[in-house]
């Protein structure tokens, strides 16, 4: 028996051959009612491209993801996990468009966010909080394109949602590790990358809250700003080590872990063992630091669960673009130590 052709399917469904071709090859949008009718006809006549047509029955979504710093392995890992999570969705065909922003000036972030939103059904963004970014979020929401804050929340009243970890608990957990593992009382120095990242500010505040409550005999310094720059962090830690022989703890609450570790590796093993480092990321350098025993613990974002939750929130907002509420998904953070790290 002759296998049904595209022409046979078009005739049986009462549509043009160009419509069938668009469905098979993912061309221009075809109405959902037409897609359903063509798929049912293909099933009935035993058309060979049934699998492809069934894929076209699923909704197709363009999701945009504005990341930072293309040169940092941590952001490359996050981007790869997002693309992988999008590919695993079985209910929706997702085109994941990841854009890296190396210029972190709010003007550049706002421009790229607006550009990405023009071709997306929803957008997720990792960025510092700034009025220019909030303005673009308002503009996109007016065109029914929701924006979801990822990793660090934003103050924009019209953002669609936030997906991240509980940063208050994260900071207090970091303080708990330092309080429990430091052998001698001394000075503790928190580092922060930017005053405009909500996740870092909240973690910093809760870190201090715990130390005031449970470790009043520690000397916790003012928070040091290192701009997520490894070179700056290396310089700062070198100076702290030289000037503070009673340095006992460092909370790395930003992405400059490699610079901190570089300074630590210049110390004698005896001095290294006295200083406890707790950080909040899990890039390749952090894994190396854990394996070497230089890092006591990493309070980090789970690479597997975070992207799944993010995409789920984005798809829900696409289906309900006019919802007035802000959807918040807090994913439990992971705690890794030198004894639990997978290498």
């Amino acid at each position: 028996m002759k296998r049904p052709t595209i022409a046979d399917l078009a005739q049986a469904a009462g549509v043009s051959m160009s419509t069938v071709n668009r469905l098979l090859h993912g061309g221009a949008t075809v109405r959902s009612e037409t897609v359903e009718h063509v798929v049912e006809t293909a099933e009935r006549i035993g058309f060979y491209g049934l699998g492809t047509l069934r894929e076209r029955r699923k909704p197709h979504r363009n999701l945009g993801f504005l990341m930072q710093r293309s040169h940092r392995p941590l952001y490359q890992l996050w981007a790869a996990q997002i693309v992988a999570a999008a590919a695993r969705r079985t209910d929706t065909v997702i085109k994941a468009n990841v854009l890296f922003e190396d210029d972190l000036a709010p003007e550049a972030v706002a421009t790229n966010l607006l550009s990405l939103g023009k071709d997306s059904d929803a957008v997720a963004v990792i960025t510092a909080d700034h009025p220019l970014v909030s303005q673009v979020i308002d503009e996109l929401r007016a065109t029914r394109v929701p924006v979801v804050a990822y990793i660090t929340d934003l103050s924009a009243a019209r953002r669609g949602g936030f997906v991240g970890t509980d940063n208050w608990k994260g900071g207090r957990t970091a303080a708990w590790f330092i309080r429990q593992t430091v052998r001698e009382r001394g000075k503790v120095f928190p580092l922060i990358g930017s005053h405009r990242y909500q996740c870092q500010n909240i973690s910093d505040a809760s870190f201090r809250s715990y130390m005031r409550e449970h470790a009043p005999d520690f000397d916790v310094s003012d928070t040091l700003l290192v701009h997520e720059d490894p070179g700056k962090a290396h310089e700062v830690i070198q100076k702290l080590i030289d000037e503070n022989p009673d340095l006992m703890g460092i909370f790395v609450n930003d992405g400059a872990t490699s610079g901190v570790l570089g300074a630590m590796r210049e110390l004698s093993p005896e001095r290294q063992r006295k200083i406890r480092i707790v950080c909040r990321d899990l890039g390749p350098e952090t894994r190396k630091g854990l394996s070497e025993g230089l890092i006591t613990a990493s309070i980090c974002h789970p690479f597997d669960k975070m992207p799944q939750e993010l995409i789920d929130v984005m798809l829900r907002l696409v289906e309900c673009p006019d919802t007035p509420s802000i959807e918040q998904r807090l994913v439990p953070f992971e705690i890794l130590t030198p004894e639990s790290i997978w290498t």
Side-chain angles (χ1 to χ4, degrees), residues 26-338:
T29 302
V30 179
R31 290 189 309 169
S32 58
E33 298 86 352
T34 302
V35 174
E36 192 67 28
H37 174 62
V38 172
V39 171
E40 290 175 354
T41 304
E43 291 172 342
R44 176 169 54 82
I45 68 174
F47 181 68
Y48 68 92
L50 187 56
T52 301
L53 292 175
R54 283 174 174 160
E55 281 293 306
R56 291 292 291 165
R57 175 190 274 169
K58 301 176 183 177
H60 286 59
R61 303 298 185 199
N62 292 329
L63 301 183
F65 303 89
L66 184 57
M67 312 292 286
Q68 294 186 348
R69 299 179 184 267
S70 60
H71 61 278
R72 282 190 55 194
L74 179 62
Y75 284 107
Q76 292 288 347
L77 285 171
W78 275 341
Q81 290 296 327
I82 285 172
V83 172
R88 288 195 300 267
R89 293 289 298 210
T90 59
D91 58 339
T92 308
V93 178
I94 298 173
K95 180 181 179 182
N97 182 17
V98 179
L99 176 64
F100 289 94
E101 176 55 81
D102 292 321
D103 182 356
L104 301 187
E107 295 82 1
V109 174
T111 298
N112 278 301
L113 182 59
L114 186 60
S115 176
L116 190 60
K118 289 179 179 179
D119 298 318
S120 303
D121 297 305
V123 179
V125 59
I126 302 176
T127 186
D129 204 348
H130 194 278
L132 288 177
V133 175
S134 297
Q135 180 180 337
V136 170
I137 290 174
D138 287 348
E139 293 178 24
L140 291 175
R141 191 64 179 265
T143 62
R144 301 173 69 83
V145 177
V147 177
V148 178
Y150 192 44
I151 306 296
T152 182
D153 204 359
L154 300 169
S155 62
R158 299 195 68 191
R159 68 195 186 284
F162 165 62
V163 177
T165 60
D166 188 325
N167 294 301
W168 183 263
K169 288 184 180 293
R172 287 181 67 88
T173 303
W176 182 91
F177 267 102
I178 287 180
R179 174 67 179 84
Q180 297 297 322
T181 59
V182 169
R183 298 173 184 174
E184 304 174 25
R185 299 299 174 260
K187 292 183 180 178
V188 176
F189 290 88
L191 306 184
I192 197 171
S194 168
H195 294 303
R196 285 192 173 272
Y197 288 110
Q198 283 196 23
C199 62
Q200 295 181 13
N201 276 315
I202 293 171
S203 292
D204 183 69
S206 64
F207 179 87
R208 294 177 171 282
S209 168
Y210 183 95
M211 296 299 287
R212 286 194 303 268
E213 183 180 355
H214 297 287
D217 49 341
F218 281 76
D219 181 4
V220 181
S221 82
D222 292 337
T223 302
L224 302 175
L225 184 66
V226 295
H227 303 290
E228 298 201 7
D229 181 346
K232 175 68 173 177
H234 186 280
E235 177 186 332
V236 167
I237 297 302
Q238 271 189 328
K239 184 177 180 181
L240 291 180
I241 291 170
D242 291 340
E243 297 179 355
N244 300 276
D246 56 346
L247 169 60
M248 296 296 166
I250 302 172
F251 178 31
V252 189
N253 190 15
D254 79 323
T257 307
S258 60
V260 175
L261 292 174
M264 287 290 295
R265 292 187 182 109
E266 297 168 2
L267 300 179
S268 66
E270 181 182 2
R271 187 75 190 280
Q272 288 177 353
R273 285 192 292 269
K274 289 184 177 181
I275 300 174
R276 296 290 180 260
I277 297 176
V278 179
C279 64
R280 290 227 60 200
D281 73 1
L282 190 60
E285 188 66 14
T286 301
R287 287 182 174 273
K288 184 178 179 182
L290 284 163
S291 300
E292 292 172 324
L294 295 175
I295 295 176
T296 300
S298 174
I299 318 298
C300 55
H301 299 84
F303 281 135
D304 54 345
K305 297 177 184 177
M306 290 279 291
Q308 297 175 29
E309 294 288 345
L310 175 63
I311 290 172
D312 188 56
V313 168
M314 294 173 76
L315 293 178
R316 284 167 58 87
L317 289 171
V318 170
E319 294 300 322
C320 305
D322 297 321
T323 179
S325 61
I326 296 172
E327 184 159 355
Q328 179 174 269
R329 296 279 183 92
L330 294 182
V331 182
F333 50 73
E334 293 182 344
I335 301 175
L336 295 176
T337 70

